[in-house]
Amino acid sequence: EAFVKIKAKYAFGDQGYGDKVKAGSTIEYKVTLDELIEGKSTYSMSSLEKHEFVNKYKEVGNHYFKQNQNTRALRLYKAAMEPVEYPDSGQDDEEKKVRSCEGTWL
């Protein structure tokens, strides 16, 4: 478990939250991780799963890029390249489809 403090300007600010949180209050949360479910490794994904992974990360990266949050966008673009950066030696039709995503970032 962890304790997280959030300053008023990042929490409820000068508005507060009804009778529960006074205006200008720092909020403190106790956070407990109940379960950690790891995603599938990109190395064990099928070609179709890799294609979906790349497109998802690319779309979210594009969202951040359009909002001028370039550091976040770049992080997502790099993550999206992971499954296609080192392809298997025997590419099937699905793998070629995934590789074709490489130049389609924006």
Side-chain angles (χ1 to χ4, degrees):
E1 67 185 40
F3 290 94
V4 180
K5 277 189 173 182
I6 304 173
K7 293 182 180 182
K9 68 180 183 177
Y10 300 113
F12 298 103
D14 295 333
Q15 302 295 316
Y17 187 72
D19 295 335
K20 296 181 180 186
V21 179
K22 293 180 184 176
S25 295
T26 296
I27 305 298
E28 193 170 312
Y29 290 101
K30 177 180 171 183
V31 181
T32 305
L33 178 64
D34 293 329
E35 183 177 6
L36 177 64
I37 301 172
E38 291 189 39
K40 193 172 188 179
S41 164
T42 56
Y43 298 108
S44 62
M45 290 180 179
S46 70
S47 296
L48 183 57
E49 289 170 324
K50 288 179 183 179
H51 181 71
E52 291 169 353
F53 178 92
V54 167
N55 280 333
K56 178 182 174 185
Y57 275 69
K58 178 188 75 167
E59 288 173 17
V60 175
N62 288 347
H63 168 78
Y64 285 123
F65 180 78
K66 290 173 186 174
Q67 296 201 357
N68 206 26
Q69 296 183 25
N70 298 330
T71 302
R72 282 185 169 181
L74 183 58
R75 193 176 315 129
L76 287 156
Y77 292 151
K78 285 181 179 180
M81 288 302 299
E82 182 184 338
V84 294
E85 197 167 18
Y86 302 105
D88 297 334
S89 58
Q91 290 185 356
D92 58 12
D93 289 339
E94 287 294 325
E95 187 72 27
K96 290 176 185 175
K97 185 177 179 183
V98 171
R99 297 277 307 158
S100 72
C101 293
E102 287 182 354
T104 59
W105 294 112
L106 298 177

